[in-house]
Amino acid sequence: MTGQRHRRAWLIMVSVDSGTFSLVTPPLFAALAPARNVLIAGAGGGFDVYAGLPLAVALWDAGVRVHLANLSFSELVEIGRESWADEHVVEVTPETGSSDWYFPEGALARWLAANDLPSTVYAFPPLGVQLLRDAYRYLVERLEIDAVVLVDGGTDILLRGDESNLGTPVEDITSLAAVAGLDLPVKLVSSLGFGIDAYDGVNHVEVLENLAALDREGGYLGALSVPNASREAALYRDAVANAQAATPARPSIVHGQIAAATSGAFGDVQFTRRTAGSPLFVNPLMAIYFTVDLDMLAARCLYLDRIENTLGRRQVTTRIEAFRAEVSPRIPRVFPH
């Protein structure tokens, strides 16, 4: 291991006394310091698990066992039953085949293997809270997980329900509720891609307001940039390029922008016909992890109790819509700077 690698490992694994944080060690890594088996899971489906790659690489390089999972939008029923580890958990490896052309988990597993990294990606079908929690519980017990980090490509997982627009909350908040019900020493939420959800109507002044409220309550673990020249950023950009090649008809708009941001790109950086006619605003804020305590974030969600007893995705959607029909949303504000 090189001296640089030793330095990285020390920064990640240094202990934190009395639960306090220091500028020397990012709170995200301080919180994960006691963990030996970390599950990094994409909360919102699709390519969300890719948002966890820079973090996973940093932890792998520090000697931490990291496992990857994702709420999947793929047709998992097309995968042979031999790959199903449990009723709602598919164990995707580089050899796992699917007739579905949209299979981010498979593309990621093959890329990981090609880069000599742990190459299993666990996939969950879209579910309600109760069944998704069962799936997480299975992995926690099987893999002896002591820390879960939900990752979101974007920021709509940080919304509590009374914002002017919730973006696409169904999968994110289902994942949040599912993991909130697990008894684990460390549970975090980390979002990468600040500003991207403006495309779905999210007002990011409200996101910042929510982070400030969590900070006052002790639930905000700060912001951490993925450095352009880092190994983590280089591998992430390569993985995103590989995923774009694997799904040319539907490349990830979210991760295309984040990957561009990690390389110093700025402004209307177009990389797919999917965004033609929609000006993009790629900028350095997209390359920053914003991390919060999962339980404290869940406690602030105004409708989490509404979806607690759901079994299917449609139930979650219906109950969120019913909640929104009752609430008086905040008046959106313009970012003043």
Side-chain angles (χ1 to χ4, degrees):
M1 182 182 282
T2 65
Q4 182 180 5
R5 192 71 58 80
H6 274 302
R7 173 69 175 170
R8 182 187 294 120
W10 179 83
L11 283 174
I12 292 174
M13 300 311 300
V14 65
S15 63
V16 179
D17 295 330
S18 305
T20 59
F21 296 137
S22 165
L23 188 62
V24 173
T25 304
L28 166 59
F29 289 115
L32 291 173
R36 291 298 175 266
N37 286 288
V38 179
L39 179 64
I40 298 177
F47 288 94
D48 254 16
V49 64
Y50 280 75
L53 272 182
L55 176 58
V57 171
L59 292 172
W60 278 323
D61 285 352
V64 181
R65 291 182 179 176
V66 179
H67 308 271
L68 300 176
N70 197 45
L71 187 61
S72 181
F73 288 162
S74 300
E75 293 293 338
L76 297 180
V77 294
E78 301 294 331
I79 297 174
R81 294 307 303 179
E82 68 277 3
S83 296
W84 289 74
D86 197 52
E87 184 178 4
H88 299 298
V89 182
V90 180
E91 189 171 347
V92 179
T93 69
E95 294 74 34
T96 302
S98 173
S99 60
D100 189 357
W101 64 269
Y102 183 84
F103 191 24
E105 296 82 12
L108 179 56
R110 292 188 292 273
W111 178 87
L112 289 165
N115 286 273
D116 298 319
L117 294 168
S119 57
T120 296
V121 181
Y122 296 94
F124 312 124
L127 300 165
V129 171
Q130 291 295 314
L131 296 183
L132 185 58
R133 184 177 295 149
D134 289 344
Y136 270 102
R137 186 176 288 115
Y138 168 81
L139 282 186
V140 166
E141 293 174 357
R142 173 180 167 177
L143 303 175
E144 299 181 337
I145 299 298
D146 50 8
V148 171
V149 183
L150 287 183
V151 288
D152 180 27
T155 54
D156 47 7
I157 197 171
L158 302 175
L159 305 181
R160 70 180 205 150
D162 63 347
E163 292 81 5
S164 54
N165 193 304
L166 300 188
T168 55
V170 175
E171 287 78 20
D172 289 317
I173 303 303
T174 299
S175 297
L176 177 66
V179 176
L182 299 177
D183 184 14
L184 284 169
V186 179
K187 292 181 286 184
L188 305 175
V189 170
S190 198
S191 73
L192 186 67
F194 184 91
I196 287 175
D197 291 321
Y199 179 82
D200 290 312
V202 171
N203 180 288
H204 284 78
V205 173
E206 295 171 335
V207 173
L208 294 173
E209 185 179 11
N210 290 355
L211 289 173
L214 282 162
D215 197 12
R216 291 193 297 273
E217 297 166 6
Y220 177 47
L221 279 71
L224 181 64
S225 180
V226 180
N228 180 333
S230 66
R231 165 176 156 85
E232 295 89 347
L235 286 172
Y236 168 71
R237 288 192 293 265
D238 188 67
V240 171
N242 177 267
Q244 289 174 338
T247 54
R250 197 170 178 81
S252 173
I253 295 174
V254 169
H255 289 287
Q257 292 180 79
I258 297 172
T262 67
S263 66
F266 185 83
D268 191 11
V269 181
Q270 297 286 335
F271 54 89
T272 172
R273 287 177 293 180
R274 293 184 65 199
T275 58
S278 298
L280 302 180
F281 183 54
V282 172
N283 66 85
L285 290 175
M286 291 180 175
I288 294 176
Y289 278 117
F290 290 86
T291 303
V292 301
D293 178 273
L294 187 147
D295 285 336
M296 297 184 74
L297 178 66
R300 297 192 79 251
C301 182
L302 299 174
Y303 59 91
L304 215 65
D305 59 330
R306 303 278 191 105
I307 66 170
E308 169 63 26
N309 295 319
T310 55
L311 299 177
R313 182 183 184 279
R314 183 173 297 179
Q315 283 180 298
V316 177
T317 301
T318 301
R319 295 185 187 187
I320 293 177
E321 289 174 349
F323 167 78
R324 287 290 287 179
E326 301 171 11
V327 73
S328 297
R330 299 184 219 169
I331 299 173
R333 290 186 285 171
V334 176
F335 195 73
H337 299 294

